[in-house]
Amino acid sequence: MTRSGQPVAPMRASTLEIDRAAIAANTRRFVRSTSAAIMAVVKSDAYGHGLAIVARTALASGATWIGVTSLAEGIAVRAAGISMEVPVLSWLNPVELDVATAVQLRIDLAVPSVRHLEAIAAARSRARVHLHLDTGMARDGAAPEEWRALMAAAKRAEADGLIEVVGVMGHLPLAATPDHPANERGQCAFLRGVELAGQAGLRPVVRHLAATAATLTIPMTHFDLVRIGAGLVGIDPSCTTRLRGVMRLTTPVVQVRRVAAGVGVGYGHSHITTRATTLALLPIGYADGIPRCASGRAHVLVGGRRRPVIGEISMDQMIVDVGVDPVAPGDVAVVFGPGDDREPTVADWARWAGTIPHEIVTGIGPRVGRRVI
Ligand SMILES: *Cc1c(COP(=O)(O)O)cnc(C)c1O
């Protein structure tokens, strides 16, 4: 409102609504599906949905752990007011790390190598650690060849009172394809890793291997804790389960133009109109996370119908062909949403862009206003 009491137009043209009830429903869906504890993975601002709202809603709906990929994100979790009673785990940390801050904020640290372990032990602050085994990604975690050495080093450090070993973790590369043999190999590698930890005299009470896809498709992988990120925000990599979409992205029509047949549209004239039609201009583009490579395939909902996005998507704007329908400036276009009203979904945009939904939701730019509903 202005001082005179007049309502003012919102400062930002495009709005991203985050549906808290959908996050809660998705969380409860996972709580019901397993006897393991649920870790809400809120890395990358909870996949672009907002760390604080997703963490709080998931915890209120049955999740009991929070997972992040850096100490900075763990600090942000505590800054968001998440109680010190709630365990937080941070993985993917560099060797040089402020271990004292992690311990002070009760943030557990994943340990992927002997070097990391030695650095954490050197801080002499009795950090809580989860030993991270690479169970088939050839990515983060200790290589199987290093695992015994890591167990021995962890046992020594624990005996000296320098660390406390809380968990063992792994991650599966092909859980979205549950029949793939890599899943059984990963489970065997994980069980063997846990067994070797026991033989080394360690007692990791929190064993965790599954993320969203494995939790939905391979119950054997649940162990003590499952780490759920995508699933909380309505993304199912295994395409087996109906989860609720959480984001709704809208933008207003700013301009409408009647054009004749044969008119080139946008940069490069990649689209030439084939008939007289009406073009609606939307103030959102690739700088806001609309993938440019979806040009020529994407659709948005305007006036209750799906309309093609034509020409090249620009940095700040894109053009929609609305035909002969009466569309006016100020009408709202739905770029994507949960799909209730036939609007495109995040999964549709991912398909048009040749990517996965995760990349769409984490890519929405800072010019888009955010609102929790
Ligand atoms: C991102 C991540 C998760 C969460 O994966 P989703 O498929 O989004 O549930 C779990 N574990 C690790 C190690 C991760 O990096």
Side-chain angles (χ1 to χ4, degrees):
M1 302 288 259
T2 61
R3 234 181 267 172
S4 61
Q6 294 296 310
V8 291
M11 300 288 283
R12 296 166 190 270
S14 306
T15 303
L16 186 68
E17 283 177 1
I18 303 297
D19 180 357
R20 189 200 316 251
I23 301 166
N26 292 333
T27 307
R28 288 194 298 266
R29 165 74 183 68
F30 284 93
V31 171
R32 282 197 303 274
S33 70
T34 181
S35 54
I38 307 281
M39 172 186 285
V41 177
V42 296
K43 62 192 182 189
S44 191
D45 201 26
Y47 298 42
H49 292 69
L51 178 147
I53 185 63
V54 175
R56 285 195 205 115
T57 306
L59 290 169
S61 308
T64 53
W65 282 73
I66 296 290
V68 290
T69 46
S70 66
L71 182 53
E73 288 178 331
I75 293 168
V77 169
R78 294 299 184 215
I82 301 304
S83 154
M84 294 284 271
E85 307 290 304
V86 176
V88 174
L89 170 63
S90 163
W91 57 90
L92 213 63
N93 291 300
V95 172
E96 294 290 333
L97 189 71
D98 183 356
V99 178
T101 296
V103 171
Q104 193 190 346
L105 294 177
R106 287 204 66 224
I107 298 167
D108 295 7
L109 300 171
V111 176
S113 76
V114 173
R115 266 201 73 188
H116 286 79
L117 187 102
E118 285 170 348
I120 292 169
R124 312 187 69 86
S125 46
R126 223 178 138 69
R128 284 165 44 104
V129 304
H130 298 233
L131 302 166
H132 187 174
L133 174 63
D134 182 356
T135 53
M137 297 286 288
R139 203 184 65 169
D140 49 344
E145 309 85 74
E146 197 185 350
W147 189 247
R148 281 173 188 277
L150 180 58
M151 295 303 95
K155 180 61 200 172
R156 277 195 307 276
E158 189 169 69
D160 293 345
L162 305 176
I163 61 166
E164 180 187 348
V165 175
V166 175
V168 169
M169 67 184 283
H171 194 53
L172 296 171
L174 276 138
T177 317
D179 294 335
H180 194 284
N183 291 308
E184 208 169 307
R185 281 201 300 275
Q187 287 170 72
C188 288
F190 184 71
L191 284 168
R192 181 83 186 121
V194 170
E195 188 183 323
L196 288 171
Q199 285 174 13
L202 297 166
R203 293 287 168 265
V205 292
V206 191
R207 300 161 301 165
H208 46 116
L209 179 61
T212 295
T215 302
L216 293 173
T217 61
I218 319 174
M220 290 269 291
T221 62
H222 292 189
F223 296 98
D224 306 303
L225 175 70
V226 294
R227 303 182 306 265
I228 310 294
L232 300 184
V233 295
I235 297 170
D236 170 16
S238 72
C239 301
T240 59
T241 310
R242 191 176 279 273
L243 300 168
R244 187 87 193 129
V246 172
M247 282 185 171
R248 186 177 144 91
L249 177 60
T250 59
T251 194
V253 172
V254 292
Q255 204 183 341
V256 171
R257 161 106 44 105
R258 278 296 294 174
V259 294
V263 169
V265 177
Y267 284 124
H269 283 182
S270 65
H271 180 90
I272 311 277
T273 57
T274 55
R275 52 173 166 61
T277 189
T278 308
L279 306 182
L281 181 67
L282 304 180
I284 192 166
Y286 60 78
D288 304 298
I290 304 300
R292 184 172 173 278
C293 61
S295 299
R297 284 188 290 276
H299 287 67
V300 298
L301 196 80
V302 184
R305 287 179 56 186
R306 281 198 185 199
R307 322 277 184 170
V309 174
I310 60 168
E312 291 294 326
I313 293 169
S314 304
M315 185 184 293
D316 317 305
Q317 45 191 307
M318 60 189 191
I319 300 156
V320 176
D321 186 340
V322 297
V324 296
D325 293 344
V327 169
D331 288 0
V332 172
V334 184
V335 179
F336 56 70
D340 296 339
D341 305 314
R342 284 180 299 131
E343 77 278 20
T345 62
V346 169
D348 290 329
W349 276 94
R351 206 175 58 255
W352 294 328
T355 186
I356 54 175
H358 313 55
E359 192 176 352
I360 303 293
V361 292
T362 54
I364 303 302
R367 292 193 300 198
V368 175
R370 282 147 197 277
R371 195 167 75 207
V372 176
I373 58 162

